[in-house]
């Protein structure tokens, strides 16, 4: 490593240490967060310490705002930041550089949608959204859904991880279920795992079966990547049983193996 690189690494480490000190998460708040969201806690102490450090950095870099009369307490922002940092535990926070704002609503938000059916008739309806991620835009989250993540994990669901998987997917400008892949994970291997899994998920949902993954994942390859990522982090055994090839490429993409790191208790 050259002198300039050493200096810039040292500078970055100092800046990060200052940010972590500025946004230090008190012990009782951190313990409370781990107690509420068991999938954060089932890690070795080094991972948990790194998650806490990244959570502080996340709080320092991102801007939270509240809507609909919600009060942004420390519990709210730390719950969101800690869950958002789980997917990038080994990838680094820079992966989230594409956006700054997070808007937290007390409950799901009704989005106005329009569809045109086969007869050309326009239908307008309202869809309740627990979260939404847009390119460069703020990430929207419903606190009611974030708060219940300890329970919804049993069904393999997690709204924060869902939306931040979209952020990873959107980083290259396209929402297509293909995030930026490291050189050691060729697109062909990714597609060979994801495409058949998506097709079988769509077929099972259309047949009225109840797959482990959220049926919403049948909406498109971007949604399939997001719902499979949710399960990967909060119900890894279920994802591995249903889609072992997807689990395998996710271990390489996220550079972590939640099943190995989450021993049965
Ligand atoms: Zn989605």
């Amino acid at each position: 490593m050259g002198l300039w690189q050493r200096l810039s690494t040292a500078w970055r480490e100092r800046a990060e240490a200052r940010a972590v000190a500025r946004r230090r998460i008190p012990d009782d708040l951190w313990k409370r967060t781990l107690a509420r969201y068991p999938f954060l806690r089932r890690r070795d102490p080094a991972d948990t310490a790194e998650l806490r450090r990244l959570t502080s950095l996340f709080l320092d870099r991102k801007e939270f705002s509240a809507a609909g009369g919600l009060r942004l307490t420390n519990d709210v922002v730390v719950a969101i930041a800690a869950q958002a940092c789980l997917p990038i535990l080994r990838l680094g926070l820079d992966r989230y550089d594409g956006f700054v704002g997070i808007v937290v609503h007390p409950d799901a938000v009704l989005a106005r949608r329009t569809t045109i059916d086969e007869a050309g008739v326009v239908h307008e309806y309202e869809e309740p959204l627990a979260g939404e991620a847009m390119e460069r835009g703020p990430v929207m989250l419903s606190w009611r859904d974030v708060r219940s993540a300890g329970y919804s994990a049993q069904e393999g669901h997690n709204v924060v991880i869902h939306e931040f998987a979209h952020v990873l997917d959107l980083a290259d400008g396209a929402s297509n279920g293909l995030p930026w892949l490291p050189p050691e994970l060729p697109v062909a291997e990714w597609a060979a795992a994801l495409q058949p899994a998506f097709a079988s998920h769509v077929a099972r949902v259309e047949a009225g079966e109840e797959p482990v993954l959220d049926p919403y994942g049948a909406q498109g390859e971007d949604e399939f990547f997001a719902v499979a990522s949710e399960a990967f982090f909060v119900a890894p055994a279920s994802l591995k049983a249903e889609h072992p090839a997807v689990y395998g490429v996710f271990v390489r993409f996220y550079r972590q193996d939640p099943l190995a790191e989450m021993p049965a208790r």
Side-chain angles (χ1 to χ4, degrees):
M1 201 189 285
L3 175 66
W4 170 247
Q5 223 178 339
R6 277 210 307 276
L7 282 173
S8 92
T9 303
W11 180 86
R12 185 191 164 105
E13 280 170 0
R14 269 210 306 279
E16 286 191 356
R18 277 200 300 272
V20 170
R22 224 171 16 242
R23 300 287 184 165
R24 210 188 80 77
I25 301 163
D27 288 341
D28 58 337
L29 172 56
W30 185 244
K31 279 192 195 133
R32 220 160 48 232
T33 306
L34 296 183
R36 282 181 188 144
Y37 310 109
F39 52 89
L40 296 179
R41 159 174 101 226
R42 291 179 201 142
R43 295 285 177 140
D44 70 30
D47 271 2
T48 315
E50 174 63 0
L51 186 68
R52 187 174 179 176
R53 190 186 77 87
L54 286 171
T55 302
S56 289
L57 284 178
F58 186 99
L59 293 172
D60 197 63
R61 288 191 203 174
K62 304 303 178 196
E63 279 168 17
F64 282 84
S65 55
L70 181 79
R71 206 164 66 85
L72 279 184
T73 61
N74 287 335
D75 285 79
V76 172
V77 297
V78 170
I80 293 169
Q83 294 181 63
C85 286
L86 191 57
I88 49 91
L89 189 64
R90 305 253 163 77
L91 302 178
L93 197 50
D94 295 354
R95 290 297 191 91
Y96 292 159
D97 278 354
F99 80 101
V100 171
I102 296 161
V103 184
V104 194
H105 292 259
D107 209 330
V109 173
L110 290 177
R112 216 176 291 272
R113 301 288 195 219
T114 309
T115 55
I116 302 174
D117 68 18
E118 284 157 9
V121 179
V122 176
H123 299 270
E124 285 184 8
Y125 64 101
E126 287 182 324
E127 182 187 18
L129 293 179
E132 192 168 42
M134 286 166 289
E135 197 187 353
R136 292 176 217 281
V139 174
M140 185 281 281
L141 291 163
S142 144
W143 172 237
R144 180 194 287 272
D145 293 86
V146 174
R147 196 181 46 193
S148 63
Y151 303 99
S152 59
Q154 292 158 17
E155 277 117 49
H157 298 176
N158 185 284
V159 66
V160 177
I161 292 169
H162 182 103
E163 298 311 328
F164 282 83
H166 281 316
V167 170
L168 294 174
D169 185 6
L170 282 162
D172 60 0
S175 181
N176 54 6
L178 177 61
W180 179 85
L181 300 175
E184 67 274 16
L185 179 50
V187 174
E189 284 184 47
W190 178 267
L194 270 288
Q195 281 171 357
F198 172 63
S200 90
H201 185 66
V202 171
R204 294 188 62 188
V205 170
E206 282 175 353
E209 290 176 33
E210 284 181 17
V212 168
L213 293 188
D214 192 331
Y216 190 70
Q219 300 264 327
E221 287 176 307
D222 52 345
E223 296 303 342
F224 185 74
F225 168 61
V227 304
S229 294
E230 295 176 57
F232 181 70
F233 288 104
V234 304
S238 303
L239 177 67
K240 195 172 185 176
E242 196 165 88
H243 297 293
V246 171
Y247 189 90
V249 289
F250 277 13
V251 168
R252 294 163 66 197
F253 170 66
Y254 286 111
R255 297 192 192 135
Q256 44 180 314
D257 184 347
L259 207 49
E261 288 146 21
M262 242 183 189
R265 293 157 72 88

